[in-house]
Amino acid sequence: MTKLLSPNNRNIILELKNITKTYTTGTNSFNALDGINLKIYEGEFISITGPSGSGKSTLMHIIGLLDNPTSGEVNLNGRNIAKLKEHQLAQIRNVTLGFVFQQFNLLAKTSSLENVLLPLLYSDVPKRDRQKIGLDLLAKVGLQDKTNNTPAQLSGGQQQRVAIARALVNNPKIILADEPTGNLDSKSGEDVMKFFHQLNEKEGRTIVFVTHDMDLAKEANRTIIIKDGKILEEKHA
Amino acid sequence: MTSLGIIIGVTSVILLTSIGNGLKKYVTDQFDSLGANSIFISPGRVFNDNGGFSQSGAIMTTSFSLKDVTNLKRKLDNVEITPANGVFVDISSPFNTQKSIEIDGSTQNFGINNNLAPSEGNGRWFTEEENSKKTPVIILGYQLAQDLFPNSSALGKKVIVKGKTLKVIGVSDKKGSSFGGPSFDKQGYIPLNVAFDLAGNNDIQSIIVKAKNKDSIESTKKQITKIMLEKYDEDAFSVFDSSQLLSSINSIISVLTISLTGIAAISLVVGGIGIMNIMLVSVTERTREIGLRKAIGAYPRAILIQFLIEAVILSCIGGTTGILLGYLGTLAIKSFFPAQVTISSVILAFGVSSLVGIIFGVAPARKASKLSPIEALRYE
């Protein structure tokens, strides 16, 4: 990884300004995030790491527009998302973001193909094009012969590849992955990471992934280490 | 299982409305067979002002006389007028005695006008001559003939009424029992003049006027009323046609059907609560799925609609099963009771069950649509 990123020459795709997230239980309040400032540039490959309870997942949720910060500003493509309504946020999650989860989160009784096509239910891609998009993506992740299998008939690695195909189905600019290798054996985990590198290098997609594994985190171009809700350190590869 | 409440509700709604409608059709048919275009003049007030039966109607305060009949005959053109005199008497055959049997005295037209004339092979109705000569003859209703002569044909046999011997010259065809009215099968029919002798007076209890056609019923009724008012008080007689009687009976049946259906509808509501319960469980069980769908871009409305549709499908499955069961049940009942499935009751039942799905699906669907995606995804 000698290729040095020069962030200043690129567009900022997502910017967090002084983000805090406070959880209150009874009289106790707890800052899960405490004054986070972060700029993510188009085409970056970023890892977020830190000990458990450090706030890395909360940060991921805010980046993924799944949660609102208690204070601070989130700008996506220069647009403040604070004022957007729930259905507008849903549309951004649908089209601009692609999610990959530790638990895969595939629908159990549904075939690989239908799982991949699920986000298209909520988008305006014409019905006649959907099938082909899904089949192409399954071929891309090497599962062209598993299109009709349900998740239970697939290995963990295969399930995660279905999930990646699902994340790509609306051709998103940003892929967000929360411990994507956490439930996989090391071989499958490597395959998944290899795939992320391809998406980043060949297709220029921005990738942000969360991991507690420092070694894995080093695979990214930029590693953000957080602790107690604050950014402790940023490392460029 | 989920839809059991709906199934029971819809089945009973269909069954009850079928029975109600069947009953209505049966009564209508009965009245048609009674003779269309017939206008009845009877003593007392039969109907109250609301079209229902008057409470005092049963008490016959006045009776008419042959004078009234001739008076009507003179003033009305183109109609057939049949007087009738009914007595309740004991009637005996060599085999047994039937108590309190209604025997109607009337004229030679009465049989044909009321479809009571015996068909080929079962004898005949009496003639005008037999009436004027007081010939002691009788026509028995189908059931009465069977009761009096259990093992043989009644034709040509003798029966005794009030010490008078009458010859059976005919047996009416089977009419079936009529709801709310007398059973024609358990009556006897004799010439009017014979009836006068039996009753010991010359009173006429009702006069039947046969209008020319359906359109002239109303005008004939008005004429009759005018003529009768010359002699009697307004409250002393009633002029009505079978449609009036029919609508009164039908309104009673309708009220019955509606209230019974209302009771059945309660089980639809209970069924709806069952569906709500199952949908709430389903929302809880599928919290992660909801979270995932929201994370990948499902807007709240999409989730709401998804769960609403599922609730509606559940209740419609129940509704369809209920309609089928109700239909089968109606077929079964049909063999011993008049029942008829109507399209409107099917549409109503189906509509109500999908409505129940929507109403009781809203709460769970709203709950699902309002889940926060991260909390839903974390749900174990």
Side-chain angles (χ1 to χ4, degrees):
Chain A
M1 289 293 148
T2 49
K3 192 174 78 175
L4 257 174
L5 280 177
S6 47
N8 294 334
N9 298 338
R10 299 185 179 215
N11 293 327
I12 295 172
I13 194 162
L14 192 117
E15 183 176 16
L16 303 183
K17 284 185 186 164
N18 204 20
I19 296 290
T20 61
K21 179 73 186 178
T22 311
Y23 291 107
T24 312
T25 42
T27 50
N28 299 326
S29 64
F30 159 73
N31 286 339
L33 294 177
D34 192 0
I36 298 274
N37 286 293
L38 179 64
K39 286 176 184 163
I40 297 173
Y41 295 88
E42 220 175 324
E44 269 197 295
F45 192 163
I46 298 179
S47 63
I48 299 171
T49 188
S52 65
S54 59
K56 57 187 189 299
S57 282
T58 309
L59 179 60
M60 190 65 161
H61 293 146
I62 287 181
I63 294 172
L65 313 188
L66 290 168
D67 204 357
N68 293 316
T70 310
S71 69
E73 202 180 306
V74 180
N75 288 320
L76 182 74
N77 286 324
R79 186 178 177 203
N80 186 355
I81 62 113
K83 292 185 187 97
L84 296 182
K85 296 221 166 61
E86 179 55 39
H87 72 270
Q88 292 168 307
L89 291 176
Q91 202 195 358
I92 295 173
R93 289 200 294 266
N94 185 234
V95 176
T96 312
L97 306 176
F99 289 91
V100 177
F101 305 92
Q102 181 176 3
Q103 312 281 354
F104 323 137
N105 284 328
L106 301 174
L107 300 187
K109 288 170 193 160
T110 320
S111 73
S112 306
L113 182 61
E114 286 170 291
N115 265 298
V116 171
L117 297 180
L118 191 64
L120 296 183
L121 275 184
Y122 311 110
S123 72
D124 49 11
V125 173
K127 274 207 171 95
R128 58 175 186 280
D129 299 343
R130 293 182 186 179
Q131 186 93 355
K132 189 178 180 306
I133 295 173
L135 289 173
D136 287 352
L137 280 170
L138 279 172
K140 191 172 174 180
V141 296
L143 292 174
Q144 58 274 18
D145 53 343
K146 302 280 186 198
T147 53
N148 291 319
N149 294 53
T150 59
Q153 296 164 330
L154 301 174
S155 71
Q158 289 170 327
Q159 288 187 53
Q160 192 62 303
R161 279 188 274 161
V162 173
I164 292 171
R166 180 181 63 195
L168 291 171
V169 76
N170 265 323
N171 199 19
K173 284 206 168 112
I174 309 175
I175 305 247
L176 302 172
D178 193 352
E179 301 274 9
T181 61
N183 272 12
L184 300 177
D185 58 84
S186 54
K187 171 76 176 63
S188 303
E190 278 170 31
D191 286 348
V192 165
M193 288 312 291
K194 224 180 269 173
F195 204 78
F196 281 145
H197 281 294
Q198 272 181 32
L199 291 173
N200 177 245
E201 285 156 24
K202 290 192 183 149
E203 299 178 17
R205 293 186 208 271
T206 310
I207 292 179
V208 181
F209 74 100
V210 167
T211 180
H212 64 278
D213 180 345
M214 284 302 282
D215 290 335
L216 198 67
K218 281 177 195 154
E219 285 199 30
N221 304 135
R222 178 153 65 117
T223 301
I224 293 157
I225 302 165
I226 74 169
K227 202 185 169 191
D228 299 332
K230 292 184 171 109
I231 295 180
L232 199 69
E233 203 183 342
E234 278 192 45
K235 283 184 193 166
H236 287 266
Chain B
M1 197 52 211
T2 318
S3 315
L4 200 60
I6 302 272
I7 293 174
I8 293 171
V10 170
T11 307
S12 30
V13 166
I14 296 267
L15 270 181
L16 288 168
T17 49
S18 306
I19 291 172
N21 286 314
L23 220 54
K24 251 189 210 172
K25 188 173 181 294
Y26 182 79
V27 170
T28 312
D29 290 350
Q30 284 289 314
F31 272 88
D32 279 351
S33 77
L34 252 176
N37 305 343
S38 289
I39 299 164
F40 305 90
I41 310 169
S42 80
R45 288 194 74 192
V46 174
F47 295 99
N48 62 27
D49 296 333
N50 302 322
F53 289 111
S54 156
Q55 288 190 328
S56 59
I59 306 156
M60 308 223 173
T61 45
T62 27
S63 51
F64 309 124
S65 69
L66 269 178
K67 261 193 200 162
D68 298 319
V69 179
T70 37
N71 194 28
L72 283 168
K73 271 187 180 158
R74 197 157 47 82
K75 291 180 178 166
L76 292 171
D77 299 326
N78 253 334
V79 292
E80 272 177 43
I81 298 176
T82 353
N85 179 329
V87 284
F88 285 88
V89 291
D90 296 349
I91 178 165
S92 309
S93 73
F95 305 102
N96 60 45
T97 299
Q98 298 289 317
K99 291 199 180 292
S100 263
I101 296 296
E102 183 178 347
I103 298 200
D104 287 345
S106 188
T107 56
Q108 68 279 1
N109 298 327
F110 189 83
I112 295 164
N113 287 351
N114 294 297
N115 293 331
L116 289 166
S119 58
E120 286 276 331
N122 291 325
R124 58 178 181 84
W125 197 257
F126 53 82
T127 62
E128 189 175 2
E129 200 188 347
E130 281 167 327
N131 184 18
S132 55
K133 286 189 173 168
K134 295 190 185 180
T135 317
V137 291
I138 185 165
I139 290 101
L140 298 178
Y142 179 82
Q143 187 61 45
L144 184 59
Q146 299 247 312
D147 291 344
L148 287 169
F149 299 94
N151 300 315
S152 57
S153 163
L155 266 184
K157 305 275 168 55
K158 301 242 156 70
V159 293
I160 296 166
V161 177
K162 276 191 162 183
K164 206 176 168 89
T165 305
L166 301 171
K167 187 183 173 196
V168 180
I169 57 164
V171 175
S172 292
D173 294 347
K174 189 171 183 172
K175 306 278 285 182
S177 62
S178 77
F179 287 92
S183 165
F184 292 103
D185 289 342
K186 284 212 87 169
Q187 283 180 226
Y189 308 95
I190 55 177
L192 186 63
N193 287 318
V194 180
F196 284 156
D197 283 356
L198 277 181
N201 59 46
N202 283 7
D203 289 349
I204 287 171
Q205 280 143 11
S206 68
I207 302 169
I208 302 161
V209 178
K210 186 113 176 165
K212 245 188 309 181
N213 52 44
K214 226 173 182 139
D215 298 331
S216 66
I217 291 180
E218 278 310 310
S219 60
T220 312
K221 268 165 71 184
K222 275 193 191 126
Q223 273 180 289
I224 294 170
T225 310
K226 213 174 136 198
I227 296 163
M228 295 302 285
L229 275 174
E230 289 167 9
K231 194 173 161 191
Y232 298 97
D233 271 354
E234 201 184 334
D235 286 345
F237 68 95
S238 305
V239 179
F240 57 92
D241 60 296
S242 49
S243 69
Q244 234 171 316
L245 206 54
L246 191 63
S247 68
S248 292
I249 292 177
N250 274 348
S251 67
I252 292 171
I253 294 176
S254 294
V255 169
L256 266 175
T257 311
I258 289 168
S259 43
L260 286 175
T261 310
I263 294 166
I266 293 172
S267 58
L268 274 181
V269 174
V270 175
I273 293 168
I275 291 214
M276 177 158 72
N277 202 17
I278 283 291
M279 289 310 293
L280 281 171
V281 171
S282 163
V283 168
T284 313
E285 273 175 356
R286 289 157 69 189
T287 301
R288 282 178 73 92
E289 176 192 329
I290 296 163
L292 168 78
R293 283 177 186 268
K294 286 196 142 189
I296 62 172
Y299 34 96
R301 256 182 98 109
I303 300 285
L304 182 87
I305 289 168
Q306 182 194 343
F307 278 86
L308 260 189
I309 287 175
E310 282 178 28
V312 170
I313 286 174
L314 268 182
S315 58
C316 281
I317 289 173
T320 316
T321 318
I323 287 169
L324 262 167
L325 285 179
Y327 182 71
L328 291 177
T330 306
L331 285 184
I333 286 177
K334 230 177 189 167
S335 50
F336 53 91
F337 201 82
Q340 198 182 34
V341 178
T342 57
I343 307 264
S344 61
S345 69
V346 170
I347 293 171
L348 184 84
F350 200 77
V352 168
S353 53
S354 24
L355 201 70
V356 163
I358 292 173
I359 291 170
F360 290 96
V362 163
R366 274 180 70 90
K367 189 185 164 197
S369 74
K370 286 194 171 154
L371 282 175
S372 133
I374 1 163
E375 274 165 39
L377 274 174
R378 265 199 215 123
Y379 186 86
E380 292 296 332

